[in-house]
Structure formats: structure tokens, C-alpha cells
């Protein structure tokens, strides 16, 4: 009798364990499915494109390319090319305002998800500065080429020789020669750069920065735009940042690199941008006389932006929509 009761209890216990095991298995399957669904939902923030100032045509171009599965480096390059080719934009590419001696010169850099980088400075004969910078990155053992060497390299790589000085820019230059005043106007003359950051559907980052520099600058002047770590910096494990505004102040702070390193230490993109601007303010007693601005994005797709003076904005392209977003500022 005792043996029979023992067997019955054993069978019931075994059945209970089996039922519990099946229940736990079903729970784990449902839980894992929900986690997978959450991951898929979170990934819908990508692809993502952000760019300095309100350049909706450029951000749309890059965003649409990414949406169609384009390589993230191709997307960021072709995105900034939109503004390099727009002669109405007097601060980027063809039609850019000249230096004080009448030379239109272009600066640009580009970075890939692998951390590779290329740059050109004082480019005078092709508007596609970011594309030449990419060729420097991919076809040479160098990071930067300058002046005549950069132009010669561009021709050797198949870029057409162009006249960058347009008729409208020449007329504006003639008017400037009558007074020869150099006084940067906040958010106008400093509106001199398109810096773009893209994240593809896999979460990989690339960036580009291109500019004709400050209007009527001293012949030979180079700003932050082509300087890796100042005008642009990408770390595919962390995020990226780009800058615009008074390049001298940005170069002295190595601002874009600083922002990425602050994000590495745990700061949000917004906190990192604010810290970078605060350091520029602290180091420059004349900070109220110029603009400096940053945008940044981390691997989660979180965005930050901050500037010294009111008036800077950035454009975001996501889910087929462009949005021009005013930046936070100090003054």
C-alpha cells in the first residue's frame, strides 16, 4: 500500500514538473519574442541623417539613399555634394565667397565607419571637395592634401577643372572691395559650413564637412572644417560630431573630438555639446562677437546640439521627413 502511494505521488510530481517546465519554456519564448520585437522597434530610428543649418535638400538626398540601402559613406558624400553644387549657397562649394585677394578656396574632410579619414585644404579648381577628400582617404596613404597638390591630385583622379568664382560672387566681391571691412556677422558670415552625420540601418556612422570658409578671409586661411577632430570626428563605437562657426575657436578646443570623448565617458550628445561650447566660451573673452555650434549623435541615435549665440539650427531627416530644429544656446 505504501509502495502504491509512493508511485502515485512520484507520477504526480513528475507531471507537475513537466507542466512547470513547459510553462517556463512558453514564458521564455514569449519573453524573448517581446525582446526581439522591442529591438526591432528600437532599430526603426535608423537610418538617420543630421546636418548643420537648414540644408533640407542635402539631408533628404542622404536620407533617401540610406533608405534605399546605400552605403553610409556614399550617402554622406552625396548629401553634402548637393550644397557644394548649389551656386546660390555662397559658403560652400561653387559660388563660395572668396578670400580678400579674390581666391575661392575650399576645405573639406570625410570619415568612414572604420575610422579612416581624408581631407583637402585650399582646393581651387573643383567644387567636389568632400569627394576629393574621400579619394585622398581611399587612394593614398595620407589623410590631408593641400593647395596645388590637392588640385593636381583631383585632376589625376578624374575630377573636372572648374571655375569656382561665379558672376554673383564676383559682384559681391567688388562691393566688398569698396570698403574692405572684415567683421563677421553672427549666423550670416559664420554660416559657412555643411557638416553631416549619417547612421545606416546597421547603426554604422559616417560624416563629412565641407566649406568655402569665412567670407573675405586672409589668403591661405584654413578653418576647422577639414581638420579631423575639430570640424568632424567619428568613432563608430560611440558616435560622431560636427562643428560650424568660427573655426579658430573650434580648432583650439578640438571640439568634435572632445564631444565624442565626453560621450564615451557617459555624457549624452546634448550634455557633450554644451560642455564643448562652455569650454570655448571660457577660453575666448570675445565669445559674444562670434558664433560656434556643434551637433552630435550617439550609437543609440540620440541627438545633441548647442551653440553660443541664438540663431543656429540643424536639420534632421528620419522616416522620410525633414525637420529643421533650433539649437539650444547660451546667449
Amino acid at each position: 500500500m505504501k509502495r502504491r502511494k509512493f508511485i502515485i505521488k512520484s507520477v504526480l510530481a513528475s507531471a507537475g514538473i513537466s507542466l512547470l517546465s513547459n510553462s517556463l519554456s512558453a514564458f521564455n519564448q514569449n519573453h524573448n519574442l517581446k525582446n526581439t520585437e522591442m529591438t526591432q522597434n528600437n532599430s526603426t530610428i535608423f537610418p538617420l541623417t543630421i546636418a548643420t543649418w537648414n540644408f533640407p535638400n542635402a539631408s533628404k538626398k542622404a536620407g533617401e539613399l540610406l533608405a534605399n540601402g546605400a552605403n553610409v559613406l556614399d550617402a554622406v558624400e552625396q548629401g553634402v555634394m548637393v550644397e557644394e553644387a548649389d551656386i546660390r549657397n555662397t559658403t560652400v562649394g561653387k559660388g563660395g565667397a572668396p578670400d580678400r585677394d579674390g581666391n575661392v578656396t575650399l576645405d573639406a574632410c570625410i570619415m568612414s565607419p572604420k575610422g579612416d579619414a581624408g581631407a583637402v585644404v585650399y582646393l581651387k579648381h573643383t567644387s567636389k571637395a568632400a569627394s576629393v577628400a574621400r579619394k585622398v582617404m581611399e587612394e593614398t596613404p595620407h589623410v590631408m592634401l593641400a593647395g596645388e597638390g590637392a588640385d593636381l591630385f583631383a585632376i589625376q583622379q578624374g575630377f573636372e577643372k572648374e571655375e569656382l568664382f561665379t558672376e554673383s560672387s564676383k559682384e559681391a566681391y567688388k562691393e566688398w572691395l569698396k570698403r574692405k571691412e572684415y567683421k563677421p556677422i553672427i549666423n550670416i558670415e559664420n554660416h559657412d559650413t555643411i557638416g553631416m552625420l549619417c547612421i545606416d540601418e546597421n547603426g554604422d556612422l559616417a560624416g563629412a564637412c565641407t566649406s568655402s570658409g569665412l567670407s573675405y578671409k586672409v589668403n591661405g586661411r584654413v578653418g576647422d572644417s577639414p581638420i579631423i577632430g575639430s570640424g568632424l570626428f567619428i568613432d563608430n563605437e560611440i558616435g560622431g560630431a560636427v562643428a560650424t562657426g568660427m573655426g579658430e575657436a573650434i580648432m583650439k578646443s578640438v571640439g568634435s573630438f572632445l564631444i565624442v570623448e565626453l560621450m564615451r565617458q557617459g555624457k549624452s550628445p546634448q550634455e557633450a555639446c554644451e560642455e564643448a561650447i562652455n569650454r570655448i566660451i571660457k577660453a575666448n573673452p570675445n565669445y559674444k562677437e562670434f558664433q560656434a555650434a556643434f551637433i552630435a549623435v550617439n550609437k543609440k541615435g540620440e541627438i545633441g546640439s548647442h551653440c553660443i549665440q541664438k540663431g543656429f539650427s540643424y536639420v534632421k531627416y528620419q522616416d522620410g521627413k525633414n525637420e529643421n530644429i533650433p539649437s539650444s544656446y547660451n546667449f
Side-chain angles (χ1 to χ4, degrees), residues 243-259:
T244 184
M246 186 58 71
E248 284 73 12
I250 294 165
M251 281 192 286
K252 288 187 290 184
S253 70
V254 199
S256 292
F257 177 78
L258 170 64
I259 288 170

Side-chain angles (χ1 to χ4, degrees), residues 50-53 55 73 76-77 79-81 83-84 91-93 106-112 118-121 127-134 192-198 206-213 223-234 241-245 247 250 256 293-295:
I50 59 173
T52 55
W53 303 101
F55 290 127
L73 194 59
V76 77
E77 176 191 2
V80 299
M81 281 173 62
E83 292 306 317
E84 290 177 330
T91 56
V92 177
L106 309 181
D107 304 323
C109 71
I110 195 165
M111 288 194 76
S112 78
V120 289
V121 301
S127 62
K128 300 177 177 66
S131 297
V132 180
R134 181 174 178 177
D192 63 342
T193 305
I194 176 169
M196 180 178 286
L197 300 169
C198 289
C209 192
T210 180
S211 174
S212 59
D224 67 294
S225 298
I227 308 301
I228 305 300
S230 292
L232 166 70
F233 194 72
I234 295 284
V242 289
T244 184
I250 294 165
S256 292
F294 295 100
I295 60 173

